Amino acid sequence: MTDQMAISTLTLQHRIPDDWAADPWAEVRPLIDGVDVLERVHPEGVAPNCRHWTGPAESWPLTVTKEPRRVMITEPPCTAGCCGALYVTMRREGDRVIWDAWENTSNITAVPADIRFDAAQYEAELARAAADRSWEEPVDTVARLLEQTLTDSGWFEQWGCVLTGVWPRRAEPDIPEEFTSPEGVDVEFHEVLQAPGERACSYGYELFVTHDQPVEEQARQLAARILADDPRKTAELRG
Protein backbone atom coordinates (compact mmCIF):
# COMPACT_ATOMS: atom_id res chain seq x y z
CA MET A 1 0.00 0.00 0.00
CA THR A 2 1.15 3.54 -0.66
CA ASP A 3 0.77 4.53 3.02
CA GLN A 4 3.65 2.13 3.72
CA MET A 5 6.06 4.24 1.68
CA ALA A 6 8.87 5.88 3.62
CA ILE A 7 8.08 9.27 5.12
CA SER A 8 10.69 11.90 4.37
CA THR A 9 11.66 15.04 6.30
CA LEU A 10 11.69 18.45 4.63
CA THR A 11 14.35 21.02 5.53
CA LEU A 12 14.39 24.46 3.92
CA GLN A 13 17.78 26.15 3.67
CA HIS A 14 18.43 29.77 2.73
CA ARG A 15 21.32 29.98 0.30
CA ILE A 16 22.88 32.85 -1.64
CA PRO A 17 23.00 31.66 -5.27
CA ASP A 18 26.42 31.35 -6.89
CA ASP A 19 25.15 33.60 -9.67
CA TRP A 20 23.76 36.15 -7.24
CA ALA A 21 24.08 38.95 -9.79
CA ALA A 22 21.05 37.42 -11.54
CA ASP A 23 19.04 37.45 -8.29
CA PRO A 24 20.83 38.65 -5.14
CA TRP A 25 18.14 37.49 -2.74
CA ALA A 26 18.72 34.12 -1.06
CA GLU A 27 16.93 31.14 -2.54
CA VAL A 28 14.99 28.90 -0.15
CA ARG A 29 16.34 25.49 -1.04
CA PRO A 30 14.39 22.28 -0.20
CA LEU A 31 16.44 19.41 1.22
CA ILE A 32 14.91 15.95 1.47
CA ASP A 33 16.18 13.97 4.46
CA GLY A 34 19.10 16.38 4.53
CA VAL A 35 20.03 15.78 0.88
CA ASP A 36 19.73 18.25 -1.99
CA VAL A 37 18.12 15.74 -4.35
CA LEU A 38 17.12 18.52 -6.76
CA GLU A 39 20.78 19.37 -7.35
CA ARG A 40 21.29 15.89 -8.76
CA VAL A 41 18.64 16.19 -11.48
CA HIS A 42 18.63 19.95 -12.14
CA PRO A 43 22.09 21.22 -11.14
CA GLU A 44 21.65 24.67 -12.70
CA GLY A 45 18.29 25.19 -11.00
CA VAL A 46 17.59 27.85 -8.37
CA ALA A 47 14.63 27.66 -5.99
CA PRO A 48 12.24 30.62 -5.49
CA ASN A 49 13.91 33.30 -3.40
CA CYS A 50 13.01 34.49 0.08
CA ARG A 51 10.87 37.36 -1.25
CA HIS A 52 8.31 34.73 -2.28
CA TRP A 53 8.00 33.74 1.39
CA THR A 54 6.98 37.13 2.80
CA GLY A 55 3.25 37.02 2.13
CA PRO A 56 0.44 34.93 3.68
CA ALA A 57 1.00 31.20 4.04
CA GLU A 58 -1.25 30.34 1.11
CA SER A 59 1.09 32.29 -1.20
CA TRP A 60 4.30 30.47 -0.20
CA PRO A 61 5.87 28.47 -3.06
CA LEU A 62 5.58 25.06 -1.37
CA THR A 63 2.17 25.44 0.29
CA VAL A 64 -0.12 22.48 -0.44
CA THR A 65 -3.88 21.94 -0.46
CA LYS A 66 -6.11 18.97 -1.21
CA GLU A 67 -6.20 20.06 -4.85
CA PRO A 68 -3.03 19.02 -6.73
CA ARG A 69 -0.83 21.96 -7.71
CA ARG A 70 1.93 21.89 -10.33
CA VAL A 71 4.88 23.93 -9.08
CA MET A 72 8.10 25.03 -10.77
CA ILE A 73 10.40 24.03 -7.94
CA THR A 74 13.71 25.13 -9.53
CA GLU A 75 14.54 27.20 -12.61
CA PRO A 76 17.80 28.35 -14.22
CA PRO A 77 19.20 31.88 -13.72
CA CYS A 78 18.05 32.74 -17.26
CA THR A 79 14.49 31.51 -17.87
CA ALA A 80 12.62 28.22 -17.84
CA GLY A 81 11.90 28.66 -21.55
CA CYS A 82 15.60 29.04 -22.28
CA CYS A 83 17.24 26.19 -20.34
CA GLY A 84 14.37 24.26 -18.81
CA ALA A 85 13.02 23.93 -15.28
CA LEU A 86 12.06 21.25 -12.76
CA TYR A 87 8.37 20.84 -11.92
CA VAL A 88 6.54 18.77 -9.34
CA THR A 89 2.88 18.25 -8.50
CA MET A 90 2.18 18.56 -4.77
CA ARG A 91 -0.94 17.93 -2.73
CA ARG A 92 -2.12 16.99 0.76
CA GLU A 93 -3.84 13.68 1.47
CA GLY A 94 -4.92 13.40 5.10
CA ASP A 95 -1.82 13.62 7.27
CA ARG A 96 0.54 13.27 4.31
CA VAL A 97 2.01 15.70 1.78
CA ILE A 98 2.84 14.11 -1.57
CA TRP A 99 5.25 15.32 -4.25
CA ASP A 100 4.95 13.36 -7.51
CA ALA A 101 4.45 13.67 -11.28
CA TRP A 102 7.89 15.26 -11.67
CA GLU A 103 8.80 16.91 -14.98
CA ASN A 104 12.28 18.02 -16.03
CA THR A 105 12.30 20.24 -19.12
CA SER A 106 16.08 20.77 -19.15
CA ASN A 107 18.52 18.67 -21.16
CA ILE A 108 18.69 16.22 -18.23
CA THR A 109 15.71 13.88 -18.18
CA ALA A 110 16.24 12.40 -14.69
CA VAL A 111 13.70 13.24 -11.97
CA PRO A 112 13.47 12.43 -8.25
CA ALA A 113 11.30 9.60 -7.01
CA ASP A 114 7.87 10.33 -5.52
CA ILE A 115 8.21 11.81 -2.03
CA ARG A 116 5.87 11.70 0.97
CA PHE A 117 6.09 13.91 4.06
CA ASP A 118 4.35 14.05 7.41
CA ALA A 119 2.02 17.03 6.94
CA ALA A 120 2.59 18.45 10.44
CA GLN A 121 6.38 18.43 10.05
CA TYR A 122 6.10 19.81 6.52
CA GLU A 123 3.88 22.74 7.45
CA ALA A 124 5.93 23.55 10.55
CA GLU A 125 9.09 23.71 8.41
CA LEU A 126 7.43 26.07 5.92
CA ALA A 127 6.45 28.40 8.77
CA ARG A 128 9.92 28.22 10.32
CA ALA A 129 11.66 29.05 7.04
CA ALA A 130 9.31 31.95 6.28
CA ALA A 131 10.18 33.53 9.64
CA ASP A 132 13.92 32.71 9.53
CA ARG A 133 16.23 35.73 9.50
CA SER A 134 19.35 34.02 10.86
CA TRP A 135 20.90 33.71 7.40
CA GLU A 136 20.78 37.44 6.65
CA GLU A 137 23.90 39.52 6.16
CA PRO A 138 23.70 43.28 6.92
CA VAL A 139 22.85 44.09 3.29
CA ASP A 140 19.94 41.63 3.38
CA THR A 141 18.50 43.04 6.60
CA VAL A 142 18.82 46.66 5.48
CA ALA A 143 17.26 45.84 2.09
CA ARG A 144 14.35 43.98 3.71
CA LEU A 145 13.62 46.72 6.25
CA LEU A 146 13.99 49.48 3.69
CA GLU A 147 11.69 47.75 1.23
CA GLN A 148 9.05 47.31 3.92
CA THR A 149 9.27 50.99 4.93
CA LEU A 150 9.07 52.25 1.35
CA THR A 151 6.20 49.94 0.45
CA ASP A 152 4.18 50.86 3.53
CA SER A 153 4.79 54.59 3.02
CA GLY A 154 3.13 54.84 -0.38
CA TRP A 155 5.70 57.54 -1.09
CA PHE A 156 6.40 56.75 -4.73
CA GLU A 157 2.70 56.68 -5.56
CA GLN A 158 2.42 60.27 -4.31
CA TRP A 159 4.80 61.31 -7.10
CA GLY A 160 3.15 59.27 -9.84
CA CYS A 161 5.68 56.44 -9.56
CA VAL A 162 5.83 52.76 -8.69
CA LEU A 163 8.52 51.01 -6.65
CA THR A 164 10.09 48.42 -8.95
CA GLY A 165 12.19 46.67 -6.34
CA VAL A 166 14.77 46.76 -3.58
CA TRP A 167 17.81 44.48 -3.76
CA PRO A 168 20.91 43.82 -1.67
CA ARG A 169 24.13 44.59 -3.55
CA ARG A 170 26.91 42.24 -2.49
CA ALA A 171 30.63 42.78 -2.59
CA GLU A 172 32.17 40.96 -5.55
CA PRO A 173 35.25 38.95 -4.60
CA ASP A 174 38.35 39.02 -6.78
CA ILE A 175 37.18 42.12 -8.69
CA PRO A 176 39.16 45.39 -8.36
CA GLU A 177 37.28 48.10 -6.47
CA GLU A 178 37.37 50.47 -9.44
CA PHE A 179 35.23 48.02 -11.42
CA THR A 180 32.55 47.35 -8.82
CA SER A 181 30.42 49.15 -6.23
CA PRO A 182 30.73 48.72 -2.46
CA GLU A 183 28.10 46.50 -0.91
CA GLY A 184 24.79 48.15 -0.18
CA VAL A 185 21.21 48.35 -1.40
CA ASP A 186 19.77 49.23 -4.80
CA VAL A 187 16.33 50.82 -5.06
CA GLU A 188 14.59 51.19 -8.41
CA PHE A 189 11.28 52.84 -9.35
CA HIS A 190 9.59 54.16 -12.47
CA GLU A 191 6.98 56.68 -13.46
CA VAL A 192 3.44 55.59 -14.30
CA LEU A 193 2.36 56.47 -17.82
CA GLN A 194 -0.47 58.99 -17.79
CA ALA A 195 -1.30 58.91 -21.50
CA PRO A 196 -0.57 56.71 -24.53
CA GLY A 197 2.69 57.57 -26.21
CA GLU A 198 4.30 59.04 -23.12
CA ARG A 199 7.75 57.89 -22.11
CA ALA A 200 7.99 56.58 -18.56
CA CYS A 201 11.30 57.36 -16.90
CA SER A 202 13.08 54.90 -14.60
CA TYR A 203 15.14 55.94 -11.59
CA GLY A 204 17.39 54.33 -9.02
CA TYR A 205 19.32 54.85 -5.81
CA GLU A 206 22.68 53.20 -5.15
CA LEU A 207 22.87 53.16 -1.35
CA PHE A 208 25.69 51.94 0.88
CA VAL A 209 25.72 49.74 3.98
CA THR A 210 28.41 49.66 6.67
CA HIS A 211 29.33 47.09 9.29
CA ASP A 212 29.87 49.58 12.13
CA GLN A 213 26.29 50.80 12.58
CA PRO A 214 23.10 48.91 13.59
CA VAL A 215 21.22 47.73 10.53
CA GLU A 216 17.91 49.08 11.83
CA GLU A 217 19.38 52.56 12.13
CA GLN A 218 20.89 52.34 8.66
CA ALA A 219 17.53 51.36 7.20
CA ARG A 220 15.85 54.30 8.95
CA GLN A 221 18.46 56.75 7.70
CA LEU A 222 18.23 55.52 4.11
CA ALA A 223 14.44 55.66 4.20
CA ALA A 224 14.53 59.19 5.61
CA ARG A 225 16.81 60.26 2.77
CA ILE A 226 14.41 58.93 0.14
CA LEU A 227 11.27 60.23 1.87
CA ALA A 228 12.65 63.75 2.30
CA ASP A 229 11.89 65.03 -1.20
CA ASP A 230 10.51 64.21 -4.65
CA PRO A 231 12.41 61.00 -5.47
CA ARG A 232 12.55 61.98 -9.14
CA LYS A 233 14.85 64.80 -8.10
CA THR A 234 17.09 62.89 -5.70
CA ALA A 235 17.46 59.57 -7.54
CA GLU A 236 19.60 58.84 -10.58
CA LEU A 237 17.78 58.81 -13.90
CA ARG A 238 18.25 55.34 -15.39
CA GLY A 239 16.26 55.62 -18.59
Side-chain angles (χ1 to χ4, degrees):
M1 296 177 62
T2 56
D3 281 343
Q4 295 177 337
M5 292 176 60
I7 305 302
S8 293
T9 298
L10 176 69
T11 305
L12 295 173
Q13 182 182 77
H14 288 78
R15 188 176 75 180
I16 306 299
D18 294 334
D19 184 13
W20 62 260
D23 185 349
W25 287 109
E27 64 174 324
V28 183
R29 191 82 181 175
L31 306 183
I32 313 302
D33 298 322
V35 178
D36 191 348
V37 298
L38 307 187
E39 174 72 20
R40 298 175 177 175
V41 300
H42 196 230
E44 69 277 20
V46 179
N49 72 41
C50 59
R51 310 313 294 149
H52 293 88
W53 292 82
T54 57
E58 57 267 24
S59 71
W60 297 342
L62 303 185
T63 293
V64 295
T65 63
K66 290 182 180 179
E67 293 298 320
R69 189 167 69 95
R70 183 174 179 262
V71 174
M72 184 168 64
I73 198 164
T74 61
E75 63 178 325
C78 50
T79 65
C82 175
C83 295
L86 184 64
Y87 299 85
V88 65
T89 297
M90 51 183 63
R91 66 188 183 279
R92 178 165 179 167
E93 289 187 359
D95 62 353
R96 297 288 182 262
V97 169
I98 301 171
W99 288 8
D100 61 9
W102 293 88
E103 181 184 1
N104 191 343
T105 62
S106 72
N107 59 0
I108 301 176
T109 58
V111 295
D114 294 352
I115 304 172
R116 297 168 70 86
F117 304 97
D118 174 79
Q121 186 275 325
Y122 182 97
E123 292 175 354
E125 179 60 10
L126 265 58
R128 183 205 64 77
D132 184 16
R133 302 284 182 261
S134 64
W135 62 273
E136 289 185 342
E137 299 174 355
V139 291
D140 300 297
T141 307
V142 173
R144 174 174 56 82
L145 295 176
L146 181 60
E147 180 182 45
Q148 181 178 344
T149 299
L150 296 178
T151 300
D152 293 346
S153 72
W155 182 246
F156 294 100
E157 289 77 4
Q158 295 182 35
W159 302 97
C161 297
V162 173
L163 178 65
T164 307
V166 180
W167 297 275
R169 185 181 62 255
R170 305 182 188 282
E172 299 186 68
D174 304 322
I175 296 180
E177 290 185 4
E178 60 268 26
F179 298 117
T180 186
S181 296
E183 67 178 12
V185 176
D186 292 321
V187 177
E188 295 184 2
F189 63 98
H190 64 84
E191 290 180 317
V192 178
L193 288 176
Q194 300 298 322
E198 285 188 348
R199 176 176 175 271
C201 293
S202 298
Y203 303 84
Y205 292 96
E206 186 179 274
L207 308 171
F208 303 102
V209 172
T210 69
H211 289 263
D212 57 1
Q213 187 179 14
V215 290
E216 294 82 2
E217 181 60 28
Q218 292 188 65
R220 284 193 293 269
Q221 291 178 358
L222 295 176
R225 169 184 164 185
I226 294 172
L227 300 175
D229 199 356
D230 181 345
R232 295 169 299 178
K233 296 179 179 178
T234 59
E236 176 187 349
L237 179 64
R238 299 285 175 82

